[in-house]
Amino acid sequence: MTQHIIIATGALFGMLAVIFGAFGAHALKKILSTDQLHSFEVGVKYQMYHAIVLLAIGLSATNVTSATYWCFTIGIILFSFSIYGLILSDAKGKKLRFLGPVTPIGGLLLVVGWLLVLINALQ
């Protein structure tokens, strides 16, 4: 994976996290319950954390494996975006329940990404 792709991916996810965070804080605040808004914010936070990690990896001199990049990228999509889908669909009264099992798979990929960073650091 090239550093440019890793940096661009991190920047895209970071930008989207800011947009989604602002959307949640302003537009969704009026239609979501406190618990729903909190869950939405968790998705935004995890997305931003991992966007920053992708930027750090892309800007670092260390070699990162493609597996690490893909674990973080797919993990963000499955974890954060499934939370967004669950919350927004629930707010509309048509909860997309099939997304429920997707969230922990995304979380597991994020954990594996961190494990791969650890392994890379110890080599």
Side-chain angles (χ1 to χ4, degrees):
M1 196 57 50
T2 70
Q3 286 182 298
H4 297 287
I5 292 174
I6 297 168
I7 293 167
T9 303
L12 175 65
F13 282 135
M15 178 188 71
L16 289 174
V18 172
I19 291 168
F20 296 160
F23 181 66
H26 299 289
L28 296 180
K29 192 174 187 177
K30 298 172 186 168
I31 63 171
L32 296 181
S33 71
T34 302
D35 286 343
Q36 289 172 323
L37 192 57
H38 175 73
S39 293
F40 190 88
E41 290 170 353
V42 167
V44 171
K45 286 178 189 177
Y46 273 68
Q47 181 176 335
M48 182 57 85
Y49 298 153
H50 291 88
I52 293 167
V53 170
L54 284 169
L55 288 173
I57 289 170
L59 293 169
S60 74
T62 61
N63 289 328
V64 63
T65 64
S66 289
T68 304
Y69 168 81
W70 286 112
C71 282
F72 282 133
T73 299
I74 295 170
I76 290 168
I77 293 167
L78 295 181
F79 183 83
S80 292
F81 285 71
S82 67
I83 290 174
Y84 305 148
L86 282 165
I87 297 305
L88 294 174
S89 64
D90 189 33
K92 297 252 182 203
K94 298 180 181 178
K95 189 170 188 176
L96 300 174
R97 296 194 186 282
F98 73 91
L99 290 175
V102 173
T103 307
I105 294 169
L108 180 60
L109 285 170
L110 294 174
V111 170
V112 171
W114 282 106
L115 176 63
L116 293 172
V117 169
L118 175 64
I119 290 169
N120 188 51
L122 295 175
Q123 290 181 346

